[in-house]
Amino acid sequence: MAKFSRRQFIITAGATAAGTLFMHGCSSPSDSASSGSDAASPAPVASADAPEVTKATLGFIALTDSAPLIIAKEKGFFEKYGMPDVEVVKQASWGTTRDNIVLGSAGGGIDGAHILSPMPYLITEGIVTDGKKVPMYVLARLNTNGQAISVANAHKDLGVQMDSSTLRSKIDAAKSAGNQMKFAVTFPGGTHDLWMRYWLAAGGINPDSDVSTIVVPPPQMVANMKTGTMDAFCVGEPWNAQLINQNIGYSALTTGQLWKDHPEKAFALRADWVDQHPKAAMALLKAVLEAQVWCEENKEEMVEIVSKRAWFGVPAADIQDRTSGKYDFGDGRVEEGVPYVMKFWNDNASYPYKSHDLWFVTEDMRWGYFPADTDAQALVDKVNREDLWREAAKAIGQEAAIPASTSRGVETFFDGVTFDPENPQAYLDSLKIKKI
């Protein structure tokens, strides 16, 4: 086992009420083991690999891409690798996730989480924690694709899709009346914030001056759209599909159309927890990777499990279609077998490419979350532990899934802009709308 080495904006207003209060997902592995014959069978863990502890507390938010953590618990994968006492704990918002990571389980919080991929970097540098730096490690990517930008039915007449500039007339009218249109995201500097900003800016709309960007927790998006709190939002599933099923709005686009097979959530842990419990961290990672493989192969059963009250508490129908590749956009467009379906394991979805994290840090520099002089590559090298992912993949018999490089190469976005991880500055220079 490789030796583990210690590597080393403003707080979201109103995004979280009480950071130390959270609800527990309370299903046990036995609850769902009977629903399939492929549940993990706990096996003795070799003494040399036995975890230092049998418990860890992991956070999740009710989003489809949290499924690997839920399945690792429900199907007994944590137990299989010697950690039967892992708790998978529901968080009210990404602000709550942040606050509980800062606390750590020793302080009544959590050790790690299903998390927006940029958040471990923002937390590590103290950007979203009032300057308190809490080093974190990204151990895996949990999924690619699977988010969407949805618009209220009040704007259906504009036919907004990929081109955000079609909103310009209403944006200008609202500004003239002293009431900026509101676009909701889930956390400042997080993935949904970056997808929304990229989409708006690509259409010539400045997300900082032309509109008002507000923060709303994922499970509250649909209710807030219903009451007219916002004009559009970017969030993960199942909330976009639920919006359409309730006939409140429609999806202009899914984020996989912005950037095919884009990275989304991550599995990340506090660095000090990993450094103090290297074998336990490896056990968690192996369980999560095995769960990702299971999710890819058993999506229908996965939907039934995560939809339960203990986890998401939503109708399975709100999750099923988009998970299986059928997209009803809610404006007459219905597509099946889409290439931008959420992936958990296929096409290297689980591997945490350093080039992807470099884009997240660079994009957060674009919008002023990180200082312009941030050494993005050094920060990625400190936080991204793809070396542990490789070790875990080998351990579970998935050596063939290990990419040849830590970079996926040049990425191309829907508007033709490219990001070359070998030259992030050229990318920044090419962008017309930015804070930097």
Side-chain angles (χ1 to χ4, degrees):
M1 189 167 183
K3 182 180 179 182
F4 288 60
S5 62
R6 177 70 178 269
R7 304 171 185 257
Q8 305 212 267
F9 138 121
I10 297 174
I11 296 295
T12 307
T16 172
T20 59
L21 297 178
F22 45 77
M23 300 177 290
H24 290 251
C26 54
S27 295
S28 66
S30 60
D31 290 337
S32 64
S34 60
S35 64
S37 59
D38 52 356
S41 300
V45 177
S47 58
D49 294 324
E52 301 86 356
V53 292
T54 61
K55 179 180 179 180
T57 306
L58 306 175
F60 83 99
I61 281 186
L63 292 160
T64 306
D65 43 39
S66 68
L69 267 64
I70 294 169
I71 293 302
K73 178 66 176 177
E74 286 266 354
K75 288 295 183 180
F77 294 124
F78 290 130
E79 184 177 1
K80 174 180 178 179
Y81 290 107
M83 299 197 69
D85 305 316
V86 171
E87 291 185 89
V88 180
V89 181
K90 188 179 288 185
Q91 310 292 292
S93 68
W94 293 118
T96 306
T97 299
R98 170 204 61 207
D99 295 345
N100 283 324
I101 284 172
V102 172
L103 287 172
S105 62
I110 59 180
D111 302 303
H114 151 252
I115 199 167
L116 299 166
S117 283
M119 281 183 69
Y121 292 91
L122 296 165
I123 293 170
T124 292
E125 292 299 285
I127 301 297
V128 293
T129 53
D130 272 341
K132 179 180 174 61
K133 295 185 178 183
V134 182
M136 295 192 71
Y137 292 149
V138 169
L139 276 67
R141 198 79 60 206
L142 287 179
N143 71 298
T144 57
N145 300 327
Q147 323 301 297
I149 295 176
S150 292
V151 181
N153 278 340
H155 308 302
K156 197 176 259 189
D157 60 308
L158 296 177
V160 185
Q161 295 183 20
M162 297 296 290
D163 183 6
S164 64
S165 69
T166 55
L167 284 163
R168 172 57 74 180
S169 60
K170 287 196 175 184
I171 287 173
D172 290 345
K175 281 181 70 176
S176 296
N179 298 307
Q180 286 186 319
M181 289 180 66
K182 293 181 174 60
F183 291 73
V185 298
T186 64
F187 190 83
T191 52
H192 304 115
D193 185 25
L194 299 184
W195 308 141
M196 180 67 83
R197 286 172 173 273
Y198 193 99
W199 177 64
L200 290 172
I205 298 166
N206 190 316
D208 289 314
S209 59
D210 290 335
V211 301
S212 175
T213 303
I214 62 174
V215 172
V216 176
Q220 296 177 26
M221 287 289 191
V222 176
N224 276 275
M225 184 77 89
K226 187 174 185 178
T227 59
T229 303
M230 81 277 281
D231 298 282
F233 63 59
C234 182
V235 73
E237 299 303 338
W239 308 113
N240 299 283
Q242 185 178 93
L243 181 83
I244 292 163
N245 290 342
Q246 294 186 15
N247 195 31
I248 300 168
Y250 70 99
S251 290
L253 67 152
T254 179
T255 51
Q257 294 172 289
L258 283 181
W259 177 9
K260 187 176 183 297
D261 290 342
H262 69 76
E264 184 49 43
K265 305 299 188 302
F267 173 49
L269 294 167
R270 284 179 57 122
D272 57 2
W273 196 93
V274 175
D275 294 338
Q276 292 165 21
H277 312 100
K279 294 179 181 178
M282 183 55 62
L284 293 177
L285 184 53
K286 288 188 286 189
V288 169
L289 265 57
E290 194 160 329
Q292 289 183 270
V293 175
W294 188 95
C295 287
E296 199 72 79
E297 298 173 350
N298 300 277
K299 286 187 175 179
E300 188 170 342
E301 184 182 352
M302 178 200 80
V303 168
E304 291 298 327
I305 292 172
V306 302
S307 67
K308 292 178 181 179
R309 183 176 180 182
W311 301 112
F312 294 4
V314 302
D318 288 345
I319 312 173
Q320 185 61 59
D321 280 357
R322 291 195 177 191
T323 301
S324 62
K326 179 180 179 180
Y327 273 73
D328 179 350
F329 287 82
D331 59 358
R333 291 175 293 152
V334 179
E335 299 180 18
E336 299 202 36
V338 299
Y340 35 78
V341 67
M342 183 181 292
K343 300 174 185 177
F344 297 99
W345 185 261
N346 291 348
D347 299 323
N348 302 118
S350 172
Y351 177 71
Y353 282 101
K354 285 190 173 185
S355 60
H356 289 164
D357 282 357
L358 183 62
W359 181 83
F360 284 126
V361 175
T362 302
E363 193 71 0
D364 271 338
M365 291 167 62
R366 173 189 184 181
W367 299 115
Y369 293 114
F370 281 118
D373 61 354
T374 298
D375 188 336
Q377 187 62 63
L379 181 57
V380 170
D381 289 340
K382 180 168 63 173
V383 176
N384 183 298
R385 295 305 305 272
E386 61 80 32
D387 57 316
L388 303 185
W389 189 97
R390 291 169 180 265
E391 184 177 343
K394 290 179 183 177
I396 67 169
Q398 291 288 343
E399 188 167 2
I402 300 174
S405 171
T406 62
S407 173
R408 202 171 70 174
V410 176
E411 304 283 352
T412 303
F413 299 88
F414 83 109
D415 56 351
V417 171
T418 60
F419 174 76
D420 183 350
E422 297 298 319
N423 191 358
Q425 190 59 48
Y427 166 79
L428 281 174
D429 293 342
S430 72
L431 302 168
K432 295 179 180 178
I433 299 178
K434 54 196 171 187
K435 267 192 177 180
I436 196 170

